[in-house]
Amino acid sequence: MSQHDPIATTTLGKHGPRVGVQGLGCMGMSEFYGVSDRAESLATLERALDRGANLIDTADMYGSGDNERLIGEVIRKRRDEVVIASKFGFVRTADDGLSFTLDNRPEYIHRAVDESLRRLGVDELDVYYMHRRVQEVPLADSIGAMAELVKAGKVRYLGLSEVTAEELQEAHRIHPISAVQSEWSLFARDVEAQVVPMAAELGVAFVPYSPLGRGMLTGAGLSGAEGDLRGFLPQFSGAAGEHNRQLVTQVTALAHQLGVTAAQVALAWVHQRAQVHGLAVVPIPGTRRRARLDENLQAATLKLDAAALARLDTLAAQVQGSRLV
Ligand SMILES: NC(=O)c1ccc[n+]([C@@H]2O[C@H](COP(=O)([O-])OP(=O)(O)OC[C@H]3O[C@@H](n4cnc5c(N)ncnc54)[C@H](OP(=O)(O)O)[C@@H]3O)[C@@H](O)[C@H]2O)c1
């Protein structure tokens, strides 16, 4: 595949939209991973659409709405080429990037979608996710409200993030769910026990977030830039961070042998793992740079052989520090 070719497509859930087999995560363009170059972020978004990586992932909480405003600048002009996905649920309680509560009440959902649409400058969201489940609000109430948004023409398809297999099944009974988005990578495989098999059974697509382990699996290390909050995460800090970075050297060594990059190995692994489970998968690696986008899209056609897969299979069990949910 040359760096100008469009990537292959798949269907997001049984009746969902056609999307490129890899999307673009946009969170880091506005927050959490240090200072971004706005012009390069916008150029990266344009390039993703040029290459058919059209599942563009954002959330109302990323940059407190700035991320949706940024993306809106690009997608308004290219609306027909984009499958725009946003999320509701996190409500900030302080401006430190780390303090939130959750809200899933129907009245909140109705308000949140209008604000997302306004910031993005579009009439309809293609995918609307519940970012996190709040146990106190009956799932039926929240999914009912989301279904009303579909009826009202504000949202085309529904998604859930970080839910259990039971929650996915219950929600799907109320209204078809097109995609479940949860962390899934070489370093985070707990979803393979129950949620992935349930999604496969129901015909729901899986959208793995942080497929590069929030950057750790690329071997690139932290930027050290102001506003890069990863240093606070259990898997990145202290002895666990040291241990996990050491584990990553196994990925970089394999990548070196194969003549590819560690990021490409990590992404190819997610694509192939989904085939084992028999479901459509659309990873959304986050990047703010065109060159890395191109590098990451190359991974969609990379095939790891059985020996390579066996070497990677043991890594997740050795990771230290809990993942951030
Ligand atoms: N549903 C949820 O709860 C949830 C949670 C977290 C994230 N997400 C979504 O998932 C998306 C992806 O997750 P993520 O951004 O947390 O983690 P990720 O995709 O695992 O990693 C992103 C990090 O890797 C770096 N990177 C990307 N490609 C690279 C390459 N080829 N070589 C070296 N470094 C590379 C990026 O830096 P540069 O940007 O500088 O290239 C960034 O620091 C987010 O953008 C967001 O949309 C959803």
Side-chain angles (χ1 to χ4, degrees):
M1 181 167 62
S2 100
Q3 296 209 336
H4 303 288
D5 291 338
I7 57 171
T9 60
T10 187
T11 304
L12 201 67
K14 263 189 203 150
H15 309 290
R18 288 300 287 178
V19 292
V21 292
Q22 215 164 274
L24 177 63
C26 299
M27 180 180 79
M29 293 177 182
S30 299
E31 205 178 5
F32 300 123
Y33 297 164
V35 184
S36 299
D37 176 335
R38 187 181 170 79
E40 183 61 20
S41 290
L42 290 170
T44 305
L45 273 159
E46 298 270 8
R47 187 150 181 87
L49 298 183
D50 293 344
R51 300 285 315 273
N54 62 344
L55 181 62
I56 303 297
D57 191 80
T58 182
D60 56 4
M61 63 88 84
Y62 299 163
S64 299
D66 280 348
N67 199 240
E68 289 180 327
R69 279 188 283 270
L70 179 86
I71 291 167
E73 286 183 32
V74 171
I75 68 163
R76 255 170 263 163
K77 293 176 288 174
R78 303 180 64 171
R79 185 65 188 98
D80 294 346
E81 298 170 70
V82 182
V83 175
I84 181 68
S86 194
K87 319 182 191 79
F88 69 86
F90 279 101
V91 182
R92 284 178 190 264
T93 53
D95 212 13
D96 57 2
L98 301 165
S99 309
F100 309 97
T101 56
L102 296 171
D103 202 337
N104 283 351
R105 290 170 303 137
E107 57 270 34
Y108 176 77
I109 297 170
H110 281 283
R111 228 176 28 244
V113 76
D114 287 341
E115 288 172 14
S116 285
L117 290 172
R118 182 176 48 77
R119 284 188 292 262
L120 285 160
V122 298
D123 299 329
E124 192 179 35
L125 286 171
D126 295 305
V127 186
Y128 201 33
Y129 290 101
M130 176 189 291
H131 210 156
R132 289 292 182 279
R133 168 86 206 284
V134 181
Q135 295 300 326
E136 295 72 39
V137 181
L139 190 61
D141 290 3
S142 308
I143 302 298
M146 293 170 78
E148 284 166 15
L149 301 182
V150 176
K151 270 212 188 105
K154 294 182 181 185
V155 168
R156 289 173 69 208
Y157 301 101
L158 302 186
L160 300 169
S161 177
E162 292 288 3
V163 285
T164 64
E166 292 73 29
E167 288 167 339
L168 174 59
Q169 190 175 34
E170 185 188 340
H172 194 73
R173 259 190 242 119
I174 300 166
H175 187 281
I177 302 297
S178 297
V180 60
Q181 176 177 141
S182 293
E183 187 170 359
W184 191 7
S185 75
L186 270 174
F187 268 18
R189 296 183 55 180
D190 50 285
V191 289
E192 288 185 49
Q194 293 183 342
V195 189
V196 169
M198 179 59 75
E201 188 186 319
L202 298 173
V204 174
F206 210 98
V207 176
Y209 77 71
S210 303
L212 301 171
R214 300 176 197 263
M216 180 173 289
L217 285 164
T218 69
L222 294 184
S223 63
E226 195 186 333
D228 192 335
L229 299 182
R230 284 172 291 187
F232 294 106
L233 301 180
Q235 290 186 355
F236 280 83
S237 53
E242 278 305 307
H243 169 86
N244 295 336
R245 277 185 283 278
Q246 195 53 41
L247 273 184
V248 172
T249 60
Q250 296 183 41
V251 184
T252 41
L254 174 65
H256 188 71
Q257 277 173 22
L258 299 175
V260 297
T261 68
Q264 289 171 331
V265 167
L267 291 170
W269 179 87
V270 180
H271 283 288
Q272 278 176 251
R273 200 64 209 146
Q275 282 169 19
V276 172
H277 286 280
L279 82 175
V281 73
V282 186
I284 45 166
T287 183
R288 303 166 282 187
R289 304 160 208 238
R290 281 168 288 182
R292 285 180 173 176
L293 175 82
D294 284 332
E295 176 187 329
N296 296 345
L297 291 180
Q298 289 289 120
T301 50
L302 174 65
K303 289 281 169 274
L304 302 169
D305 66 16
L309 292 170
R311 281 168 66 177
L312 298 169
D313 200 44
T314 57
L315 292 179
Q318 299 174 64
V319 172
Q320 291 183 3
S322 57
R323 73 179 182 91
L324 185 75
V325 177

